[in-house]
Amino acid sequence: MPTVAVKLYSVFFKILLKHRLQNRIQTPLEEANPFGVTSRPEESVAAANPSFTDGVATKDIHIDPFTSLSIRIFLPESALNSPEPDSKISSTVKPRHRNRRLDLESRSAQVDTANPAKEEPRRNSYGGSNDVEGLNLMTGDGAYRGYSPVLDNRRKLPVMLQFHGGGWVSGSNDSDANDFFCRRIAKICDVIVLAVGYRLAPESRYPAAFDDGLKVLNWLTKQTNLAECSKSLGIQRGTGSVSKKSDAHRHIVDSFGASVVEPWLAAHGDPSRCVLLGVSCGANIADYVARKAVEAGRLLDPVKVVAQVLMYPFFIGTVPTHSEIKLANSYFYDKSMCMLAWKLFLPEEEFSLDHPAANPLVPGRGPPLKQMPPTLTVVAELDWMRDRAIAYSEELRKVNIDAPVLEYNDAVHEFATLDILLKSPQAQACAEDIAIWVKKHISLRGHEFSY
């Protein structure tokens, strides 16, 4: 059973969440807001830090000028390791020497992790240039202070799209809890994480969040093609390099990432090994994006979704399962509060617990399950939504999809991503278990590497 502290926090959490949900239901929106919001004022936010202070660099990009859709990129420091000659690096390969960038960073200007813009610029010990081995700390009033790669033969890492939880109406991609979780996943799985800041309800109801997830996947495809075009143009001009450092700086400070090359992804991203990871309602978005990727087929080339991870998905249905009856009043997110969240998310004329966004087992929900990517499902023993997630995984296994279930005893909904539980041994173990399974599908050497 959960500890006394967790039980007490759960009571407080449910009272506060229920109050906020009821207020949003009772407060009618004057008009539709297509631009939308991606976070709430009460949410504590972690500032982006584009230097590798704790082993992961981050930055935010607003990728759609017509909506509030944004992403936070998490780049692990392992991307700076030199690639092997044959460019076939397994995620378990150890670097052969200590990374020089750590020494260089300690000798160059230090960036305030809470607010990089506040740090006074300094000149480094190499004679005036503040661009050393890709660590760009601009002088004067330059807006960008962080890692800026030269687009040469850098190590390529798989890309993971991450969708946060929050019952459609709360949470954000840059919250303290989500930032901590994505940093952990980026380091353990050795991937570039793109945390998606999708639009929240009720300002933006269904299908806004689902459309945003698909937009990010299409944006990743566009980024890959733009990077290839930039590389070709650079070679044709005889420059001998993919892009100039001044070009990289201009790309980074551009207002929107929709039509310019994102240098971190261009230098280090391998979109042919793309993984989707969704948390709670984010798992519903991940599953939708996976289905759309299957339907799109080669139209997304070179992006290829090779696997997805559904962490305690926000599934429901008209006919209740055993867990929905027995655990209806479970910890943190009970069934009554989740019903309020669904009412805020689905338009009134479309409200149904068997809506394709809510129930993964309704008939006619394409594409055929046998075409779905390998799917890892994480469930908690004390989560009322667990049975339907397990049932969905069973249907995938019936058509020979690699779809294991990881169930954690005495665990509650969001046990591995909720702020108060993030540092628990169970949350750490869950991240490590996810990494073991994910690496099987993203390794360039197939299943041959050792766990």
mmCIF file of all heavy atoms in Angstrom, residues 367-389:
data_model
loop_
_atom_site.group_PDB
_atom_site.id
_atom_site.type_symbol
_atom_site.label_atom_id
_atom_site.label_comp_id
_atom_site.label_asym_id
_atom_site.label_seq_id
_atom_site.Cartn_x
_atom_site.Cartn_y
_atom_site.Cartn_z
ATOM 1 N N PRO A 367 -5.890 2.146 -37.869
ATOM 2 C CA PRO A 367 -5.802 1.051 -38.835
ATOM 3 C C PRO A 367 -5.873 -0.301 -38.141
ATOM 4 O O PRO A 367 -5.990 -0.345 -36.906
ATOM 5 C CB PRO A 367 -4.414 1.286 -39.450
ATOM 6 C CG PRO A 367 -3.619 1.836 -38.311
ATOM 7 C CD PRO A 367 -4.582 2.704 -37.539
ATOM 8 N N PRO A 368 -5.790 -1.412 -38.883
ATOM 9 C CA PRO A 368 -5.787 -2.727 -38.228
ATOM 10 C C PRO A 368 -4.668 -2.829 -37.209
ATOM 11 O O PRO A 368 -3.558 -2.339 -37.419
ATOM 12 C CB PRO A 368 -5.561 -3.690 -39.408
ATOM 13 C CG PRO A 368 -6.073 -2.953 -40.604
ATOM 14 C CD PRO A 368 -5.764 -1.508 -40.354
ATOM 15 N N LEU A 369 -4.972 -3.473 -36.088
ATOM 16 C CA LEU A 369 -3.996 -3.541 -35.005
ATOM 17 C C LEU A 369 -2.703 -4.232 -35.430
ATOM 18 O O LEU A 369 -1.634 -3.926 -34.888
ATOM 19 C CB LEU A 369 -4.602 -4.277 -33.806
ATOM 20 C CG LEU A 369 -5.722 -3.549 -33.061
ATOM 21 C CD1 LEU A 369 -6.196 -4.393 -31.882
ATOM 22 C CD2 LEU A 369 -5.264 -2.182 -32.580
ATOM 23 N N LYS A 370 -2.765 -5.127 -36.398
ATOM 24 C CA LYS A 370 -1.564 -5.848 -36.810
ATOM 25 C C LYS A 370 -0.536 -4.927 -37.472
ATOM 26 O O LYS A 370 0.628 -5.317 -37.636
ATOM 27 C CB LYS A 370 -1.934 -6.980 -37.764
ATOM 28 C CG LYS A 370 -2.545 -6.530 -39.079
ATOM 29 C CD LYS A 370 -2.908 -7.726 -39.948
ATOM 30 C CE LYS A 370 -3.544 -7.285 -41.266
ATOM 31 N NZ LYS A 370 -3.908 -8.451 -42.104
ATOM 32 N N GLN A 371 -0.952 -3.701 -37.825
ATOM 33 C CA GLN A 371 -0.029 -2.751 -38.429
ATOM 34 C C GLN A 371 0.590 -1.803 -37.409
ATOM 35 O O GLN A 371 1.469 -1.012 -37.749
ATOM 36 C CB GLN A 371 -0.758 -1.937 -39.509
ATOM 37 C CG GLN A 371 -1.291 -2.756 -40.655
ATOM 38 C CD GLN A 371 -2.030 -1.909 -41.673
ATOM 39 O OE1 GLN A 371 -1.957 -0.677 -41.657
ATOM 40 N NE2 GLN A 371 -2.751 -2.559 -42.575
ATOM 41 N N MET A 372 0.160 -1.874 -36.165
ATOM 42 C CA MET A 372 0.656 -0.963 -35.136
ATOM 43 C C MET A 372 2.101 -1.284 -34.771
ATOM 44 O O MET A 372 2.542 -2.428 -34.887
ATOM 45 C CB MET A 372 -0.228 -1.035 -33.896
ATOM 46 C CG MET A 372 -1.626 -0.490 -34.100
ATOM 47 S SD MET A 372 -1.628 1.295 -34.385
ATOM 48 C CE MET A 372 -1.272 1.909 -32.736
ATOM 49 N N PRO A 373 2.853 -0.277 -34.309
ATOM 50 C CA PRO A 373 4.247 -0.525 -33.899
ATOM 51 C C PRO A 373 4.298 -1.280 -32.580
ATOM 52 O O PRO A 373 3.288 -1.359 -31.855
ATOM 53 C CB PRO A 373 4.816 0.889 -33.754
ATOM 54 C CG PRO A 373 3.636 1.729 -33.396
ATOM 55 C CD PRO A 373 2.490 1.140 -34.164
ATOM 56 N N PRO A 374 5.446 -1.849 -32.225
ATOM 57 C CA PRO A 374 5.591 -2.468 -30.903
ATOM 58 C C PRO A 374 5.180 -1.490 -29.812
ATOM 59 O O PRO A 374 5.523 -0.305 -29.862
ATOM 60 C CB PRO A 374 7.094 -2.796 -30.842
ATOM 61 C CG PRO A 374 7.495 -2.947 -32.266
ATOM 62 C CD PRO A 374 6.666 -1.976 -33.038
ATOM 63 N N THR A 375 4.442 -1.990 -28.816
ATOM 64 C CA THR A 375 3.829 -1.119 -27.811
ATOM 65 C C THR A 375 4.065 -1.662 -26.414
ATOM 66 O O THR A 375 3.609 -2.752 -26.076
ATOM 67 C CB THR A 375 2.315 -0.988 -28.065
ATOM 68 O OG1 THR A 375 2.086 -0.462 -29.377
ATOM 69 C CG2 THR A 375 1.678 -0.063 -27.040
ATOM 70 N N LEU A 376 4.776 -0.889 -25.608
ATOM 71 C CA LEU A 376 4.973 -1.217 -24.198
ATOM 72 C C LEU A 376 3.928 -0.477 -23.378
ATOM 73 O O LEU A 376 3.764 0.741 -23.522
ATOM 74 C CB LEU A 376 6.374 -0.825 -23.732
ATOM 75 C CG LEU A 376 6.646 -0.951 -22.232
ATOM 76 C CD1 LEU A 376 6.611 -2.416 -21.795
ATOM 77 C CD2 LEU A 376 7.978 -0.303 -21.866
ATOM 78 N N THR A 377 3.202 -1.197 -22.520
ATOM 79 C CA THR A 377 2.188 -0.587 -21.666
ATOM 80 C C THR A 377 2.610 -0.683 -20.206
ATOM 81 O O THR A 377 2.933 -1.768 -19.724
ATOM 82 C CB THR A 377 0.818 -1.268 -21.857
ATOM 83 O OG1 THR A 377 0.446 -1.201 -23.237
ATOM 84 C CG2 THR A 377 -0.243 -0.578 -21.028
ATOM 85 N N VAL A 378 2.621 0.453 -19.523
ATOM 86 C CA VAL A 378 2.949 0.518 -18.102
ATOM 87 C C VAL A 378 1.663 0.769 -17.321
ATOM 88 O O VAL A 378 0.925 1.711 -17.630
ATOM 89 C CB VAL A 378 3.966 1.645 -17.814
ATOM 90 C CG1 VAL A 378 4.221 1.777 -16.311
ATOM 91 C CG2 VAL A 378 5.262 1.395 -18.568
ATOM 92 N N VAL A 379 1.369 -0.070 -16.341
ATOM 93 C CA VAL A 379 0.155 0.089 -15.536
ATOM 94 C C VAL A 379 0.503 0.020 -14.055
ATOM 95 O O VAL A 379 1.533 -0.530 -13.663
ATOM 96 C CB VAL A 379 -0.920 -0.969 -15.882
ATOM 97 C CG1 VAL A 379 -1.389 -0.833 -17.318
ATOM 98 C CG2 VAL A 379 -0.395 -2.369 -15.616
ATOM 99 N N ALA A 380 -0.373 0.589 -13.236
ATOM 100 C CA ALA A 380 -0.212 0.596 -11.784
ATOM 101 C C ALA A 380 -1.304 -0.253 -11.151
ATOM 102 O O ALA A 380 -2.467 -0.207 -11.577
ATOM 103 C CB ALA A 380 -0.269 2.028 -11.248
ATOM 104 N N GLU A 381 -0.947 -0.999 -10.142
ATOM 105 C CA GLU A 381 -1.891 -1.918 -9.501
ATOM 106 C C GLU A 381 -3.110 -1.191 -8.943
ATOM 107 O O GLU A 381 -4.228 -1.711 -8.992
ATOM 108 C CB GLU A 381 -1.190 -2.673 -8.372
ATOM 109 C CG GLU A 381 -2.094 -3.683 -7.660
ATOM 110 C CD GLU A 381 -1.431 -4.304 -6.447
ATOM 111 O OE1 GLU A 381 -0.402 -3.779 -5.976
ATOM 112 O OE2 GLU A 381 -1.955 -5.325 -5.952
ATOM 113 N N LEU A 382 -2.940 0.032 -8.413
ATOM 114 C CA LEU A 382 -4.038 0.751 -7.757
ATOM 115 C C LEU A 382 -4.653 1.824 -8.654
ATOM 116 O O LEU A 382 -5.262 2.770 -8.165
ATOM 117 C CB LEU A 382 -3.513 1.388 -6.456
ATOM 118 C CG LEU A 382 -2.896 0.405 -5.450
ATOM 119 C CD1 LEU A 382 -2.387 1.143 -4.229
ATOM 120 C CD2 LEU A 382 -3.909 -0.672 -5.058
ATOM 121 N N ASP A 383 -4.509 1.669 -9.947
ATOM 122 C CA ASP A 383 -5.074 2.612 -10.915
ATOM 123 C C ASP A 383 -6.363 2.027 -11.485
ATOM 124 O O ASP A 383 -6.363 0.916 -12.018
ATOM 125 C CB ASP A 383 -4.068 2.862 -12.030
ATOM 126 C CG ASP A 383 -4.559 3.870 -13.060
ATOM 127 O OD1 ASP A 383 -5.607 4.491 -12.832
ATOM 128 O OD2 ASP A 383 -3.882 4.017 -14.093
ATOM 129 N N TRP A 384 -7.451 2.774 -11.396
ATOM 130 C CA TRP A 384 -8.729 2.250 -11.868
ATOM 131 C C TRP A 384 -8.764 2.060 -13.383
ATOM 132 O O TRP A 384 -9.616 1.341 -13.915
ATOM 133 C CB TRP A 384 -9.883 3.148 -11.417
ATOM 134 C CG TRP A 384 -9.901 4.523 -12.034
ATOM 135 C CD1 TRP A 384 -9.308 5.642 -11.552
ATOM 136 C CD2 TRP A 384 -10.574 4.917 -13.236
ATOM 137 N NE1 TRP A 384 -9.545 6.712 -12.383
ATOM 138 C CE2 TRP A 384 -10.335 6.294 -13.416
ATOM 139 C CE3 TRP A 384 -11.352 4.245 -14.165
ATOM 140 C CZ2 TRP A 384 -10.829 7.014 -14.498
ATOM 141 C CZ3 TRP A 384 -11.861 4.964 -15.255
ATOM 142 C CH2 TRP A 384 -11.602 6.326 -15.405
ATOM 143 N N MET A 385 -7.823 2.661 -14.129
ATOM 144 C CA MET A 385 -7.811 2.532 -15.593
ATOM 145 C C MET A 385 -6.979 1.359 -16.085
ATOM 146 O O MET A 385 -6.854 1.142 -17.299
ATOM 147 C CB MET A 385 -7.290 3.837 -16.220
ATOM 148 C CG MET A 385 -8.243 5.011 -16.051
ATOM 149 S SD MET A 385 -7.575 6.569 -16.663
ATOM 150 C CE MET A 385 -6.789 7.203 -15.186
ATOM 151 N N ARG A 386 -6.391 0.589 -15.192
ATOM 152 C CA ARG A 386 -5.413 -0.432 -15.569
ATOM 153 C C ARG A 386 -5.989 -1.533 -16.462
ATOM 154 O O ARG A 386 -5.341 -1.964 -17.418
ATOM 155 C CB ARG A 386 -4.793 -1.059 -14.315
ATOM 156 C CG ARG A 386 -5.786 -1.771 -13.412
ATOM 157 C CD ARG A 386 -5.116 -2.382 -12.185
ATOM 158 N NE ARG A 386 -4.264 -3.502 -12.502
ATOM 159 C CZ ARG A 386 -4.699 -4.740 -12.680
ATOM 160 N NH1 ARG A 386 -6.003 -5.013 -12.595
ATOM 161 N NH2 ARG A 386 -3.856 -5.713 -12.953
ATOM 162 N N ASP A 387 -7.201 -2.015 -16.184
ATOM 163 C CA ASP A 387 -7.744 -3.174 -16.907
ATOM 164 C C ASP A 387 -7.932 -2.894 -18.389
ATOM 165 O O ASP A 387 -7.683 -3.764 -19.234
ATOM 166 C CB ASP A 387 -9.067 -3.617 -16.279
ATOM 167 C CG ASP A 387 -8.869 -4.408 -14.999
ATOM 168 O OD1 ASP A 387 -7.702 -4.599 -14.609
ATOM 169 O OD2 ASP A 387 -9.871 -4.822 -14.380
ATOM 170 N N ARG A 388 -8.396 -1.699 -18.722
ATOM 171 C CA ARG A 388 -8.626 -1.403 -20.136
ATOM 172 C C ARG A 388 -7.297 -1.271 -20.876
ATOM 173 O O ARG A 388 -7.198 -1.654 -22.050
ATOM 174 C CB ARG A 388 -9.466 -0.140 -20.300
ATOM 175 C CG ARG A 388 -10.181 -0.067 -21.656
ATOM 176 C CD ARG A 388 -11.161 1.087 -21.690
ATOM 177 N NE ARG A 388 -12.186 0.973 -20.669
ATOM 178 C CZ ARG A 388 -13.324 0.308 -20.836
ATOM 179 N NH1 ARG A 388 -13.568 -0.318 -21.981
ATOM 180 N NH2 ARG A 388 -14.230 0.274 -19.872
ATOM 181 N N ALA A 389 -6.285 -0.749 -20.223
ATOM 182 C CA ALA A 389 -4.961 -0.675 -20.846
ATOM 183 C C ALA A 389 -4.406 -2.070 -21.089
ATOM 184 O O ALA A 389 -3.815 -2.350 -22.143
ATOM 185 C CB ALA A 389 -4.022 0.133 -19.954
#
